[in-house]
Amino acid sequence: MLDNNQLLRFTTAGSVDDGKSTLIGRLLYDSKSIFEDQLEAIENTSKKKGHEGVDLALFTDGLRDEREQGITIDVAYRYFTTPKRKFIIADTPGHIQYTRNMVTGASTANVATILIDARHGVIEQTKRHAFIASLLQIPHIIVCVNKMDLVDFSEDVFNKIVSEFEEVSSKMLVKDVRFIPMSALLGDNVVNKSENMPWYQGAPMLHTLETMHISSDINKVDARFPVQTVIRPQREGFIDYRGYAGRVASGILRKGDEVTVMPSGFTSKVKSINLHDKELEEAYAPMSVSITLEDDIDISRGDMIVRSNNKPEPSQDIEVMLCWLNNSAAKPRAKYTIKHTSNDQKAMIKEVVYKYDINTLERNSEDSDLAMNDIAKVKIRTTKPLMIDAYRENRTTGSIILVDDATNETVAAGMIV
């Protein structure tokens, strides 16, 4: 029986051949998170290929085949569990042309693991991934200095990379950065502590992931409840029941709380909070519940129930850091559907303030074309006000996506500044 059901999502990023697949394989293999038939199949494939041991990269290699054949270049998700935690790994491609895939894979992560090849140190790709992690406000970063066996497990090499990375990250909004020297191939400091690096006093990677404090990553201050649907069962015992169902985006709502319904501004009190057939005293993120209020207020999908003394900013003009995901470039002044929590409105990109050059991290205010993988600060105008928070304070109510009405494709994802 698991004593802890806390879920930690982490994303892996690094340049091609930095050993991401081997690291994930080693993590799954050493933490005994692989089914026996899977293990047997991979041992047989490794033998056929002439490897002496198990080729750890094969654990994620179903995906690599897809990559090589060009079928899909996407984020691969892997799930595993230890007695302390459940994990979801988002393995994101390393190439510059897949910036958008890294953005989608990392958008929900608690931790970003950035791999660095000990022989090459901090390279362009490392800076790019650190920049995206800081842009997406990923609360924790683990820098895995891999392939230490190829530099004789040298402490000096490790220290040099640490200071190089710290110089890069000091210019970014990154709160918690940890460094682990490792060899994913040999298993040093992945699940088990390395005997080859007695100078490293920290914990191995799995222990770091299991013990990292992530409860405070969720915003517990700003109560935000976007309404998804109104429940009216119309059956015996529930004749007058009118519940507002949705998922708590952040904060805590309790019975008896003074609440305001946005955008109408009507106030009421929380009468009951229901989860299935149980009545709860309180609901917190990310629970999905149904709430009833003392007063009959006209509420529909897209409205937001918030605490009266702590309201979001209703706004039709929003500044957003936008990552363009679509193959086709943005059309000037085209209409899009903007999706924000459960609220859908029509919107238009009014202005591109500047674009980031993702290689130099410089801002370019001359170029206003948005093409695939571009990251830019833009001004968006919506037809009706959205109840927004800044992304750095609230990742749920601070994020939006844009959908092309003609093709129904998601063309961009954005963080509200």
Side-chain angles (χ1 to χ4, degrees):
M1 178 69 188
L2 291 178
D3 62 344
N4 192 338
N5 276 341
Q6 200 176 33
L7 173 68
L8 180 136
R9 293 168 178 268
F10 68 97
T11 175
T12 58
S15 194
V16 185
D17 290 334
D18 275 351
K20 291 201 300 291
S21 299
T22 308
L23 174 63
I24 295 170
R26 173 60 71 190
L27 204 54
L28 297 173
Y29 185 70
D30 283 5
S31 63
K32 309 206 170 15
S33 304
I34 295 154
F35 292 117
E36 281 180 13
D37 55 342
Q38 231 180 338
L39 189 56
E40 210 172 296
I42 284 164
E43 281 170 350
N44 293 339
T45 314
S46 302
K47 271 189 203 130
K48 275 184 207 150
K49 287 189 165 185
H51 297 301
E52 279 176 22
V54 177
D55 181 1
L56 297 165
L58 293 172
F59 291 122
T60 54
D61 245 11
L63 318 160
R64 177 124 19 113
D65 289 346
E66 297 177 339
R67 290 173 193 176
E68 282 170 0
Q69 292 168 32
I71 308 167
T72 164
I73 307 289
D74 210 348
V75 183
Y77 293 97
R78 280 275 175 275
Y79 306 86
F80 75 103
T81 301
T82 70
K84 295 203 175 96
R85 256 186 194 155
K86 293 177 181 166
F87 297 94
I88 298 180
I89 312 171
D91 182 20
T92 58
H95 305 63
I96 176 169
Q97 67 266 41
Y98 308 130
T99 302
R100 60 177 185 173
N101 304 71
M102 181 171 171
V103 170
T104 46
S107 58
T108 53
N110 306 89
V111 182
T113 54
I114 297 177
L115 263 80
I116 295 179
D117 187 324
R119 296 167 303 173
H120 307 315
V122 173
I123 54 172
E124 286 293 340
Q125 198 68 325
T126 316
K127 294 178 187 169
R128 197 176 297 126
H129 290 146
F131 169 68
I132 293 173
S134 77
L135 192 67
L136 290 165
Q137 298 284 313
I138 297 177
H140 314 277
I141 290 180
I142 299 177
V143 179
C144 303
V145 182
N146 192 21
K147 305 197 178 181
M148 287 296 291
D149 51 314
L150 302 180
V151 292
D152 298 326
F153 301 105
S154 157
E155 185 178 3
D156 292 343
V157 170
F158 175 69
N159 289 340
K160 184 168 172 276
I161 291 172
V162 169
S163 60
E164 276 176 19
F165 189 90
E166 280 175 342
E167 196 181 316
V168 172
S169 65
S170 63
K171 302 179 186 120
M172 300 172 187
L173 293 164
V174 185
K175 300 186 194 82
D176 173 25
V177 185
R178 306 174 193 209
F179 299 88
I180 303 177
M182 61 171 63
S183 163
L185 188 66
L186 304 178
D188 290 73
N189 283 337
V190 180
V191 172
N192 305 313
K193 206 158 166 44
S194 167
E195 289 173 7
N196 294 310
M197 293 178 273
W199 46 265
Y200 172 68
Q201 295 302 307
M205 182 176 172
L206 183 63
H207 182 76
T208 306
L209 289 168
E210 283 182 332
T211 54
M212 190 171 267
H213 180 69
I214 57 167
S215 305
S216 56
D217 296 351
I218 294 175
N219 178 327
K220 293 197 175 74
V221 178
D222 307 315
R224 305 282 185 260
F225 185 75
V227 175
Q228 288 182 13
T229 186
V230 180
I231 297 178
R232 308 221 39 209
Q234 301 292 0
R235 64 169 203 261
E236 208 177 321
F238 292 96
I239 296 300
D240 294 327
Y241 184 89
R242 178 192 282 269
Y244 307 106
R247 186 178 186 185
V248 184
S250 61
I252 303 168
L253 281 170
R254 296 185 176 90
K255 262 165 75 166
D257 274 356
E258 269 293 324
V259 291
T260 300
V261 179
M262 309 276 288
S264 66
F266 287 114
T267 56
S268 184
K269 281 190 173 163
V270 176
K271 184 176 169 187
S272 71
I273 300 170
N274 300 92
L275 177 65
H276 309 307
D277 48 4
K278 286 206 297 279
E279 194 166 314
L280 307 176
E281 287 302 310
E282 59 176 32
Y284 47 86
M287 288 167 69
S288 296
V289 293
S290 167
I291 288 176
T292 64
L293 302 180
E294 301 274 356
D295 307 278
D296 254 347
I297 301 174
D298 181 17
I299 301 177
S300 55
R301 179 181 170 85
D303 291 351
M304 194 181 278
I305 297 172
V306 300
R307 240 196 244 108
S308 299
N309 59 0
N310 176 342
K311 297 179 194 159
E313 190 64 49
S315 178
Q316 279 180 271
D317 290 293
I318 329 173
E319 288 201 349
V320 177
M321 287 303 298
L322 205 63
C323 176
W324 196 259
L325 309 173
N326 201 267
N327 298 331
S328 320
K331 304 184 233 4
R333 302 190 82 76
K335 291 269 197 308
Y336 296 100
T337 294
I338 186 168
K339 289 181 176 282
H340 173 260
T341 63
S342 58
N343 195 349
D344 296 0
Q345 300 293 344
K346 294 284 177 259
M348 178 176 79
I349 298 173
K350 266 175 47 179
E351 183 194 339
V352 176
V353 184
Y354 58 77
K355 254 165 64 167
Y356 267 112
D357 180 330
I358 209 159
N359 292 317
T360 61
L361 306 187
E362 283 168 359
R363 298 170 178 187
N364 178 352
S365 46
E366 306 297 307
D367 182 4
S368 62
D369 294 332
L370 282 181
M372 185 164 83
N373 292 318
D374 278 346
I375 291 179
K377 185 177 181 181
V378 301
K379 288 183 177 171
I380 292 176
R381 172 91 186 173
T382 62
T383 45
K384 287 185 184 162
L386 299 176
M387 282 64 76
I388 59 170
D389 293 293
Y391 182 82
R392 67 169 181 274
E393 284 153 21
N394 200 327
R395 280 170 87 180
T396 310
T397 53
S399 53
I400 57 113
I401 59 171
L402 294 181
V403 177
D404 185 326
D405 292 347
T407 60
N408 216 13
E409 289 176 350
T410 302
V411 292
M415 287 77 66
I416 296 165
V417 179

